[in-house]
Coordinates of all heavy atoms in Angstrom, one line a residue:
M1 N 0.8 -1.2 0.0 CA 0.0 0.0 0.0 C 0.9 1.3 0.0 O 0.5 2.3 -0.6 CB -0.9 0.0 1.2 CG -2.1 0.9 1.1 SD -3.2 0.5 -0.3 CE -4.4 1.7 0.0
E2 N 2.0 1.2 0.7 CA 2.9 2.4 0.7 C 3.4 2.7 -0.7 O 3.5 3.9 -1.0 CB 4.1 2.1 1.6 CG 3.7 2.2 3.1 CD 4.9 2.0 4.0 OE1 6.0 2.4 3.6 OE2 4.8 1.4 5.1
K3 N 3.7 1.7 -1.5 CA 4.1 2.0 -2.9 C 3.1 2.7 -3.7 O 3.4 3.6 -4.5 CB 4.5 0.6 -3.5 CG 5.1 0.8 -4.9 CD 6.4 1.4 -4.9 CE 7.1 1.4 -6.3 NZ 8.3 2.1 -6.4
I4 N 1.8 2.3 -3.5 CA 0.7 2.9 -4.2 C 0.6 4.4 -3.8 O 0.5 5.3 -4.6 CB -0.6 2.2 -4.0 CG1 -0.6 0.8 -4.7 CG2 -1.8 3.0 -4.4 CD1 -1.8 -0.1 -4.3
I5 N 0.7 4.6 -2.5 CA 0.6 6.0 -2.0 C 1.8 6.8 -2.6 O 1.6 8.0 -3.0 CB 0.6 6.0 -0.5 CG1 -0.7 5.4 0.0 CG2 0.8 7.5 0.0 CD1 -0.7 5.2 1.5
A6 N 3.0 6.3 -2.6 CA 4.1 7.0 -3.1 C 3.9 7.3 -4.6 O 4.3 8.4 -5.1 CB 5.4 6.2 -2.9
L7 N 3.5 6.3 -5.4 CA 3.2 6.5 -6.8 C 2.1 7.6 -7.1 O 2.2 8.4 -8.0 CB 2.9 5.2 -7.5 CG 4.1 4.2 -7.6 CD1 3.6 2.8 -8.1 CD2 5.1 4.8 -8.6
R8 N 1.1 7.5 -6.3 CA 0.0 8.5 -6.4 C 0.5 9.9 -6.1 O 0.1 10.9 -6.7 CB -1.2 8.2 -5.5 CG -2.0 7.0 -6.1 CD -3.1 6.6 -5.2 NE -3.9 5.6 -5.9 CZ -4.8 4.9 -5.2 NH1 -5.1 5.1 -4.0 NH2 -5.5 3.9 -5.9
N9 N 1.4 10.0 -5.1 CA 2.0 11.3 -4.8 C 2.8 11.8 -5.9 O 2.8 13.0 -6.3 CB 2.9 11.2 -3.5 CG 2.0 11.1 -2.2 OD1 0.9 11.5 -2.2 ND2 2.6 10.6 -1.2
E10 N 3.6 10.9 -6.6 CA 4.4 11.3 -7.7 C 3.4 11.7 -8.9 O 3.7 12.7 -9.5 CB 5.2 10.1 -8.2 CG 6.1 10.5 -9.4 CD 7.1 9.4 -9.8 OE1 7.2 8.4 -9.1 OE2 7.8 9.6 -10.8
I11 N 2.3 11.0 -9.1 CA 1.4 11.4 -10.1 C 0.8 12.8 -9.8 O 0.6 13.6 -10.7 CB 0.3 10.4 -10.2 CG1 0.8 9.1 -11.0 CG2 -1.0 10.9 -11.0 CD1 -0.2 8.0 -11.0
D12 N 0.5 13.1 -8.5 CA 0.0 14.4 -8.1 C 1.0 15.5 -8.5 O 0.6 16.6 -9.0 CB -0.3 14.5 -6.6 CG -1.5 13.6 -6.3 OD1 -2.3 13.3 -7.1 OD2 -1.6 13.3 -5.1
I13 N 2.3 15.3 -8.2 CA 3.3 16.3 -8.6 C 3.4 16.4 -10.1 O 3.4 17.6 -10.6 CB 4.6 15.8 -8.0 CG1 4.6 15.9 -6.5 CG2 5.8 16.7 -8.6 CD1 5.8 15.2 -5.8
L14 N 3.3 15.3 -10.8 CA 3.4 15.4 -12.3 C 2.1 16.1 -12.9 O 2.3 16.9 -13.8 CB 3.5 14.0 -12.9 CG 4.8 13.3 -12.6 CD1 4.7 11.8 -13.0 CD2 6.0 13.9 -13.4
D15 N 1.0 15.8 -12.3 CA -0.2 16.4 -12.8 C -0.2 17.9 -12.6 O -0.6 18.7 -13.5 CB -1.5 15.9 -12.0 CG -1.9 14.5 -12.5 OD1 -1.5 14.1 -13.7 OD2 -2.7 13.9 -11.8
D16 N 0.4 18.4 -11.4 CA 0.5 19.8 -11.2 C 1.4 20.4 -12.3 O 1.1 21.5 -12.9 CB 1.1 20.1 -9.9 CG 0.1 19.9 -8.7 OD1 -1.1 19.7 -9.0 OD2 0.6 19.7 -7.6
Q17 N 2.5 19.8 -12.6 CA 3.4 20.3 -13.7 C 2.7 20.3 -15.1 O 2.8 21.2 -15.8 CB 4.7 19.4 -13.7 CG 5.5 19.6 -12.5 CD 6.7 18.6 -12.5 OE1 6.8 17.7 -13.3 NE2 7.5 18.7 -11.5
I18 N 2.0 19.2 -15.4 CA 1.3 19.1 -16.7 C 0.3 20.1 -16.8 O 0.2 20.8 -17.9 CB 0.7 17.6 -16.8 CG1 1.8 16.6 -17.0 CG2 -0.3 17.6 -18.0 CD1 1.3 15.2 -16.8
M19 N -0.5 20.4 -15.7 CA -1.6 21.4 -15.8 C -1.0 22.8 -16.0 O -1.5 23.6 -16.8 CB -2.4 21.4 -14.6 CG -3.3 20.2 -14.5 SD -4.2 20.1 -12.9 CE -4.7 18.4 -12.9
K20 N 0.1 23.1 -15.4 CA 0.8 24.4 -15.6 C 1.3 24.5 -17.0 O 1.2 25.6 -17.6 CB 1.9 24.6 -14.6 CG 1.4 24.8 -13.2 CD 2.6 24.9 -12.2 CE 2.1 25.1 -10.8 NZ 3.1 25.0 -9.8
L21 N 1.9 23.4 -17.5 CA 2.3 23.5 -18.9 C 1.2 23.6 -19.9 O 1.3 24.3 -20.9 CB 3.2 22.2 -19.2 CG 4.5 22.1 -18.5 CD1 5.2 20.8 -18.7 CD2 5.5 23.2 -19.0
L22 N 0.1 22.9 -19.6 CA -1.1 23.0 -20.5 C -1.6 24.4 -20.5 O -2.0 24.9 -21.6 CB -2.2 22.0 -20.1 CG -1.9 20.6 -20.4 CD1 -2.9 19.7 -19.8 CD2 -1.9 20.3 -21.9
E23 N -1.6 25.0 -19.4 CA -2.1 26.4 -19.3 C -1.2 27.3 -20.2 O -1.7 28.2 -20.9 CB -2.0 26.9 -17.8 CG -2.5 28.3 -17.6 CD -4.0 28.6 -17.8 OE1 -4.7 27.6 -17.8 OE2 -4.4 29.7 -17.9
R24 N 0.1 27.1 -20.1 CA 1.0 27.9 -20.9 C 0.8 27.6 -22.4 O 0.8 28.5 -23.3 CB 2.5 27.6 -20.5 CG 2.9 28.3 -19.3 CD 4.3 28.0 -18.9 NE 5.3 28.1 -19.9 CZ 6.5 27.6 -19.9 NH1 6.8 26.8 -18.9 NH2 7.3 27.7 -20.9
R25 N 0.6 26.3 -22.7 CA 0.4 25.9 -24.1 C -0.9 26.5 -24.7 O -0.9 27.0 -25.8 CB 0.3 24.4 -24.2 CG 0.4 23.9 -25.7 CD 0.2 22.4 -25.8 NE 0.6 21.9 -27.0 CZ 0.0 22.1 -28.2 NH1 -1.1 22.8 -28.2 NH2 0.4 21.5 -29.3
F26 N -2.0 26.5 -23.9 CA -3.2 27.1 -24.4 C -3.1 28.6 -24.6 O -3.7 29.2 -25.5 CB -4.4 26.7 -23.6 CG -4.8 25.2 -23.7 CD1 -5.0 24.4 -22.6 CD2 -4.9 24.7 -24.9 CE1 -5.3 23.1 -22.7 CE2 -5.3 23.3 -25.1 CZ -5.5 22.5 -23.9
T27 N -2.3 29.3 -23.7 CA -2.1 30.7 -23.8 C -1.4 31.0 -25.1 O -1.7 31.9 -25.9 CB -1.3 31.2 -22.6 OG1 -2.1 31.0 -21.4 CG2 -1.0 32.7 -22.8
C28 N -0.3 30.2 -25.4 CA 0.4 30.3 -26.7 C -0.5 30.1 -27.9 O -0.5 30.8 -28.9 CB 1.6 29.4 -26.7 SG 2.9 29.8 -25.6
A29 N -1.4 29.1 -27.8 CA -2.3 28.7 -28.9 C -3.2 29.9 -29.1 O -3.5 30.2 -30.3 CB -3.1 27.4 -28.5
L30 N -3.7 30.5 -28.1 CA -4.6 31.7 -28.2 C -3.9 32.9 -28.9 O -4.4 33.5 -29.7 CB -5.2 32.1 -26.9 CG -6.4 31.2 -26.4 CD1 -6.7 31.6 -25.0 CD2 -7.6 31.4 -27.4
E31 N -2.6 33.1 -28.5 CA -1.9 34.2 -29.1 C -1.6 33.9 -30.6 O -1.8 34.8 -31.4 CB -0.5 34.3 -28.4 CG -0.6 34.9 -27.0 CD 0.7 35.1 -26.3 OE1 1.7 35.4 -27.0 OE2 0.8 35.0 -25.1
I32 N -1.4 32.6 -30.9 CA -1.2 32.2 -32.3 C -2.5 32.5 -33.0 O -2.6 33.0 -34.2 CB -0.7 30.8 -32.4 CG1 0.7 30.7 -32.0 CG2 -0.9 30.3 -33.9 CD1 1.2 29.2 -31.8
G33 N -3.6 32.1 -32.4 CA -5.0 32.3 -33.0 C -5.2 33.8 -33.3 O -5.8 34.1 -34.3
H34 N -4.8 34.7 -32.4 CA -5.0 36.1 -32.7 C -4.2 36.5 -33.9 O -4.7 37.3 -34.7 CB -4.6 36.9 -31.4 CG -5.6 36.9 -30.3 ND1 -6.9 37.5 -30.4 CD2 -5.6 36.3 -29.1 CE1 -7.5 37.3 -29.3 NE2 -6.8 36.6 -28.5
L35 N -3.0 36.0 -34.0 CA -2.1 36.4 -35.1 C -2.7 35.8 -36.4 O -2.7 36.4 -37.5 CB -0.7 35.9 -34.9 CG 0.1 36.5 -33.7 CD1 1.3 35.8 -33.4 CD2 0.3 38.0 -34.0
K36 N -3.2 34.6 -36.3 CA -3.8 34.0 -37.5 C -5.0 34.7 -38.0 O -5.2 35.0 -39.2 CB -4.2 32.5 -37.2 CG -3.0 31.5 -37.2 CD -3.5 30.1 -36.9 CE -2.4 29.1 -36.9 NZ -3.0 27.7 -36.6
K37 N -5.8 35.2 -37.0 CA -7.0 35.9 -37.3 C -6.6 37.2 -38.0 O -7.2 37.6 -39.0 CB -7.9 36.1 -36.1 CG -9.2 36.8 -36.3 CD -10.0 36.9 -35.1 CE -11.3 37.6 -35.4 NZ -12.2 37.7 -34.2
A38 N -5.6 37.9 -37.4 CA -5.2 39.2 -38.0 C -4.7 39.1 -39.4 O -4.8 40.0 -40.2 CB -4.2 39.8 -37.0
S39 N -4.1 37.9 -39.7 CA -3.5 37.8 -41.0 C -4.4 36.9 -41.9 O -4.0 36.5 -43.0 CB -2.1 37.1 -40.9 OG -2.2 35.8 -40.4
S40 N -5.6 36.6 -41.5 CA -6.6 35.8 -42.2 C -6.0 34.4 -42.6 O -6.2 34.0 -43.7 CB -7.1 36.5 -43.5 OG -7.7 37.7 -43.1
T41 N -5.3 33.8 -41.7 CA -4.7 32.5 -41.9 C -5.6 31.5 -41.3 O -6.2 31.7 -40.2 CB -3.3 32.4 -41.2 OG1 -2.5 33.5 -41.7 CG2 -2.6 31.1 -41.4
Q42 N -5.7 30.3 -41.9 CA -6.5 29.2 -41.5 C -6.0 28.7 -40.1 O -4.9 28.7 -39.8 CB -6.4 28.0 -42.4 CG -6.9 28.3 -43.8 CD -8.3 27.8 -44.0 OE1 -8.8 27.0 -43.3 NE2 -9.0 28.3 -45.0
V43 N -7.0 28.3 -39.3 CA -6.7 27.7 -38.0 C -5.9 26.4 -38.1 O -4.8 26.2 -37.5 CB -7.9 27.5 -37.1 CG1 -7.6 26.6 -35.9 CG2 -8.6 28.8 -36.7
L44 N -6.3 25.5 -39.0 CA -5.6 24.3 -39.2 C -4.3 24.4 -40.0 O -4.3 25.0 -41.1 CB -6.5 23.3 -39.9 CG -5.9 21.9 -40.3 CD1 -5.4 21.2 -39.0 CD2 -6.8 21.1 -41.1
D45 N -3.2 23.9 -39.4 CA -1.9 23.9 -40.1 C -1.6 22.4 -40.1 O -0.9 21.9 -39.1 CB -0.9 24.7 -39.3 CG 0.5 24.7 -40.0 OD1 0.7 23.8 -40.9 OD2 1.3 25.6 -39.7
Q46 N -2.0 21.7 -41.1 CA -1.8 20.3 -41.2 C -0.4 19.8 -41.1 O -0.1 18.8 -40.4 CB -2.4 19.7 -42.5 CG -2.5 18.2 -42.6 CD -3.5 17.6 -41.7 OE1 -4.6 18.2 -41.5 NE2 -3.2 16.6 -41.1
K47 N 0.6 20.5 -41.7 CA 2.0 20.1 -41.6 C 2.5 20.3 -40.2 O 3.2 19.4 -39.7 CB 2.8 21.0 -42.5 CG 2.7 20.7 -44.0 CD 3.5 21.5 -44.9 CE 3.3 21.2 -46.3 NZ 4.1 22.0 -47.2
R48 N 2.1 21.3 -39.5 CA 2.5 21.5 -38.1 C 1.9 20.3 -37.2 O 2.6 19.8 -36.4 CB 1.9 22.8 -37.6 CG 2.1 23.1 -36.1 CD 3.5 23.5 -35.7 NE 3.5 23.8 -34.3 CZ 4.6 23.5 -33.5 NH1 5.7 23.0 -34.1 NH2 4.6 23.8 -32.3
E49 N 0.7 20.0 -37.4 CA 0.1 18.9 -36.6 C 0.8 17.5 -36.9 O 1.1 16.8 -36.0 CB -1.4 18.7 -36.9 CG -2.2 19.7 -36.2 CD -3.7 19.4 -36.2 OE1 -4.1 18.2 -36.5 OE2 -4.5 20.3 -36.0
E50 N 1.1 17.3 -38.2 CA 1.8 16.1 -38.5 C 3.2 16.0 -37.9 O 3.6 15.0 -37.4 CB 1.9 15.9 -40.1 CG 0.6 15.6 -40.7 CD 0.7 15.7 -42.3 OE1 1.8 15.8 -42.8 OE2 -0.3 15.6 -42.9
M51 N 3.9 17.2 -37.8 CA 5.2 17.2 -37.2 C 5.1 16.9 -35.7 O 5.9 16.1 -35.2 CB 5.8 18.6 -37.4 CG 7.2 18.7 -36.9 SD 7.7 20.5 -36.8 CE 6.8 21.0 -35.4
I52 N 4.1 17.4 -35.1 CA 3.9 17.2 -33.6 C 3.6 15.7 -33.4 O 4.2 15.1 -32.6 CB 2.8 18.1 -33.1 CG1 3.3 19.5 -33.0 CG2 2.4 17.6 -31.6 CD1 2.2 20.5 -32.8
L53 N 2.7 15.2 -34.2 CA 2.2 13.8 -34.0 C 3.3 12.8 -34.3 O 3.4 11.7 -33.7 CB 0.9 13.5 -34.8 CG -0.3 14.3 -34.3 CD1 -1.5 14.1 -35.2 CD2 -0.7 13.9 -32.9
N54 N 4.2 13.1 -35.3 CA 5.3 12.2 -35.6 C 6.3 12.1 -34.5 O 7.0 11.1 -34.4 CB 5.9 12.7 -36.9 CG 5.1 12.3 -38.1 OD1 4.3 11.4 -38.1 ND2 5.2 13.1 -39.2
K55 N 6.5 13.2 -33.7 CA 7.4 13.1 -32.6 C 7.0 12.1 -31.6 O 7.9 11.6 -30.9 CB 7.5 14.5 -32.0 CG 8.3 15.5 -32.8 CD 8.7 16.7 -32.0 CE 7.5 17.6 -31.6 NZ 7.9 18.9 -31.0
I56 N 5.8 11.7 -31.5 CA 5.3 10.8 -30.5 C 5.8 9.4 -30.7 O 5.9 8.7 -29.7 CB 3.7 10.9 -30.5 CG1 3.2 12.2 -30.1 CG2 3.1 9.8 -29.6 CD1 1.8 12.5 -30.3
N57 N 6.2 9.1 -31.9 CA 6.6 7.7 -32.2 C 7.8 7.3 -31.4 O 8.0 6.1 -31.2 CB 6.9 7.5 -33.7 CG 5.6 7.6 -34.5 OD1 4.6 7.2 -34.1 ND2 5.8 8.2 -35.7
S58 N 8.6 8.2 -30.9 CA 9.8 7.9 -30.1 C 9.5 7.5 -28.7 O 10.4 7.1 -28.0 CB 10.8 9.0 -30.2 OG 10.3 10.1 -29.5
F59 N 8.3 7.6 -28.2 CA 8.0 7.3 -26.8 C 7.4 5.9 -26.7 O 6.7 5.4 -27.6 CB 7.0 8.3 -26.3 CG 7.5 9.7 -26.2 CD1 7.4 10.6 -27.2 CD2 8.3 10.0 -25.0 CE1 7.9 11.9 -27.1 CE2 8.8 11.3 -24.9 CZ 8.6 12.2 -26.0
S60 N 7.7 5.2 -25.6 CA 7.2 3.8 -25.4 C 5.7 3.7 -25.3 O 5.1 2.8 -25.7 CB 7.9 3.2 -24.2 OG 7.6 3.9 -23.0
H61 N 5.0 4.8 -24.7 CA 3.6 4.8 -24.6 C 3.0 5.7 -25.7 O 2.1 6.4 -25.5 CB 3.2 5.4 -23.2 CG 3.7 4.5 -22.1 ND1 3.1 3.3 -21.8 CD2 4.6 4.7 -21.2 CE1 3.7 2.8 -20.8 NE2 4.7 3.6 -20.4
N62 N 3.5 5.5 -26.9 CA 3.1 6.4 -28.0 C 1.6 6.4 -28.4 O 1.1 7.4 -28.7 CB 4.0 6.1 -29.3 CG 3.9 4.7 -29.8 OD1 3.1 3.9 -29.4 ND2 4.8 4.3 -30.6
E63 N 1.0 5.2 -28.3 CA -0.5 5.2 -28.6 C -1.3 6.0 -27.6 O -2.1 6.8 -28.0 CB -1.0 3.8 -28.7 CG -2.4 3.7 -29.1 CD -2.7 4.3 -30.5 OE1 -1.8 4.2 -31.4 OE2 -3.8 4.9 -30.7
A64 N -1.0 5.9 -26.3 CA -1.7 6.7 -25.3 C -1.4 8.2 -25.5 O -2.3 9.0 -25.4 CB -1.3 6.2 -23.9
I65 N -0.1 8.5 -25.7 CA 0.3 9.9 -25.9 C -0.4 10.5 -27.2 O -0.8 11.6 -27.2 CB 1.8 10.0 -26.0 CG1 2.4 9.7 -24.6 CG2 2.2 11.5 -26.4 CD1 3.9 9.5 -24.6
Y66 N -0.4 9.7 -28.2 CA -1.1 10.1 -29.5 C -2.5 10.5 -29.2 O -3.0 11.5 -29.7 CB -1.0 8.9 -30.5 CG -1.5 9.3 -31.9 CD1 -0.7 9.9 -32.8 CD2 -2.8 9.0 -32.2 CE1 -1.2 10.2 -34.1 CE2 -3.3 9.3 -33.5 CZ -2.5 9.9 -34.4 OH -2.9 10.2 -35.7
Q67 N -3.3 9.7 -28.5 CA -4.7 10.0 -28.2 C -4.8 11.3 -27.4 O -5.7 12.1 -27.6 CB -5.3 8.8 -27.4 CG -5.4 7.5 -28.2 CD -6.2 7.7 -29.5 OE1 -7.3 8.4 -29.5 NE2 -5.7 7.2 -30.6
V68 N -3.9 11.5 -26.4 CA -3.9 12.7 -25.6 C -3.7 13.9 -26.6 O -4.4 14.9 -26.5 CB -2.9 12.7 -24.5 CG1 -2.7 14.0 -23.9 CG2 -3.3 11.6 -23.5
Y69 N -2.7 13.8 -27.5 CA -2.4 14.9 -28.3 C -3.5 15.2 -29.4 O -3.6 16.3 -29.8 CB -1.0 14.7 -29.0 CG 0.0 15.5 -28.2 CD1 0.6 14.9 -27.1 CD2 0.4 16.7 -28.6 CE1 1.6 15.6 -26.4 CE2 1.3 17.5 -27.9 CZ 1.9 16.9 -26.7 OH 2.8 17.6 -26.0
L70 N -4.2 14.2 -29.8 CA -5.3 14.4 -30.7 C -6.3 15.3 -30.0 O -6.8 16.3 -30.6 CB -6.0 13.1 -31.1 CG -5.2 12.3 -32.1 CD1 -6.1 11.0 -32.4 CD2 -5.0 13.0 -33.4
S71 N -6.6 15.0 -28.8 CA -7.5 15.9 -28.0 C -6.9 17.3 -27.7 O -7.6 18.3 -27.9 CB -7.8 15.2 -26.7 OG -8.6 16.0 -25.9
L72 N -5.6 17.3 -27.4 CA -5.0 18.6 -27.2 C -5.0 19.5 -28.4 O -5.3 20.7 -28.3 CB -3.5 18.3 -26.7 CG -2.6 19.5 -26.4 CD1 -3.2 20.3 -25.2 CD2 -1.2 19.0 -26.1
L73 N -4.7 18.9 -29.5 CA -4.7 19.7 -30.8 C -6.1 20.2 -31.1 O -6.3 21.3 -31.6 CB -4.0 18.9 -31.9 CG -2.5 18.6 -31.8 CD1 -2.1 17.6 -32.8 CD2 -1.7 19.9 -31.9
E74 N -7.0 19.3 -31.0 CA -8.4 19.7 -31.3 C -8.9 20.8 -30.3 O -9.5 21.8 -30.8 CB -9.4 18.5 -31.2 CG -10.7 18.7 -31.7 CD -10.7 19.1 -33.2 OE1 -9.9 18.5 -34.0 OE2 -11.5 19.9 -33.6
T75 N -8.6 20.7 -29.1 CA -8.9 21.8 -28.1 C -8.3 23.1 -28.5 O -8.9 24.2 -28.4 CB -8.5 21.3 -26.7 OG1 -9.2 20.1 -26.4 CG2 -8.9 22.4 -25.7
S76 N -7.0 23.0 -28.9 CA -6.3 24.3 -29.2 C -6.9 24.9 -30.5 O -7.1 26.1 -30.5 CB -4.8 23.9 -29.6 OG -4.1 23.5 -28.4
K77 N -7.3 24.1 -31.5 CA -8.0 24.6 -32.6 C -9.3 25.2 -32.3 O -9.7 26.3 -32.8 CB -8.1 23.6 -33.7 CG -6.8 23.2 -34.4 CD -7.0 22.1 -35.5 CE -7.4 20.8 -34.9 NZ -7.3 19.7 -35.8
N78 N -10.1 24.6 -31.4 CA -11.4 25.1 -31.0 C -11.2 26.4 -30.3 O -12.1 27.3 -30.5 CB -12.1 24.1 -30.1 CG -12.6 22.9 -30.9 OD1 -12.9 23.0 -32.1 ND2 -12.9 21.8 -30.2
L79 N -10.2 26.6 -29.5 CA -9.9 27.9 -28.8 C -9.7 29.0 -29.8 O -10.2 30.1 -29.7 CB -8.7 27.8 -27.8 CG -9.0 27.1 -26.5 CD1 -7.6 26.9 -25.8 CD2 -9.9 27.8 -25.6
Q80 N -8.9 28.6 -30.8 CA -8.6 29.6 -31.9 C -9.8 29.9 -32.7 O -10.0 31.1 -33.1 CB -7.5 29.1 -32.8 CG -6.1 29.0 -32.1 CD -5.0 28.4 -33.0 OE1 -5.2 28.1 -34.1 NE2 -3.8 28.3 -32.4
R81 N -10.6 29.0 -33.0 CA -11.9 29.3 -33.8 C -12.8 30.2 -33.1 O -13.6 30.8 -33.7 CB -12.5 27.9 -34.1 CG -11.8 27.1 -35.2 CD -12.6 25.9 -35.6 NE -11.8 25.1 -36.5 CZ -11.3 23.9 -36.2 NH1 -11.5 23.3 -35.0 NH2 -10.6 23.2 -37.1
K82 N -12.8 30.2 -31.8 CA -13.7 31.0 -31.0 C -13.3 32.5 -31.0 O -14.1 33.3 -30.6 CB -13.8 30.5 -29.6 CG -14.5 29.2 -29.4 CD -14.5 28.8 -28.0 CE -15.2 27.4 -27.8 NZ -15.2 26.9 -26.4
L83 N -12.2 32.8 -31.5 CA -11.7 34.2 -31.5 C -12.5 35.0 -32.6 O -12.9 34.6 -33.6 CB -10.2 34.3 -31.8 CG -9.4 33.6 -30.7 CD1 -7.9 33.6 -31.1 CD2 -9.5 34.3 -29.4

């Protein structure tokens, strides 16, 4: 049971870091969205998405990470579309 508690504490620390990084990432995505809107550029940048998703192949949990990133990219595009 102690090992489970220790691992959950580690997950809590990691979650705090991930949430802070996501907050920064979404802030950047919104800034990019404003720039795209000002220059009448499409929200979707297919090459950029492919580049990001291709980097995932180097991780051992690549399928799980891929699913998370699909959601992350979709959420970022939705934030930009709302501008």
Side-chain angles (χ1 to χ4, degrees):
M1 197 64 176
E2 285 182 34
K3 183 68 173 176
I4 290 174
I5 292 170
L7 289 169
R8 285 180 176 165
N9 287 336
E10 184 176 353
I11 286 173
D12 289 342
I13 291 167
L14 293 168
D15 282 344
D16 289 344
Q17 293 172 355
I18 291 167
M19 288 177 198
K20 288 176 185 175
L21 290 171
L22 286 171
E23 180 71 14
R24 284 179 46 200
R25 191 185 195 289
F26 289 131
T27 298
C28 289
L30 281 171
E31 288 182 35
I32 290 169
H34 285 292
L35 294 169
K36 285 179 177 179
K37 185 176 181 178
S39 65
S40 299
T41 303
Q42 297 263 339
V43 168
L44 175 62
D45 183 341
Q46 189 68 41
K47 288 182 182 179
R48 172 79 175 144
E49 282 195 17
E50 288 173 8
M51 184 192 74
I52 292 168
L53 294 173
N54 285 334
K55 289 195 287 187
I56 294 168
N57 292 327
S58 65
F59 294 93
S60 60
H61 297 289
N62 57 13
E63 185 56 38
I65 295 169
Y66 185 85
Q67 293 303 316
V68 169
Y69 263 83
L70 286 179
S71 177
L72 180 62
L73 292 170
E74 192 60 36
T75 301
S76 293
K77 289 183 289 193
N78 286 337
L79 285 172
Q80 291 179 359
R81 287 184 185 114
K82 290 180 182 178
L83 296 176

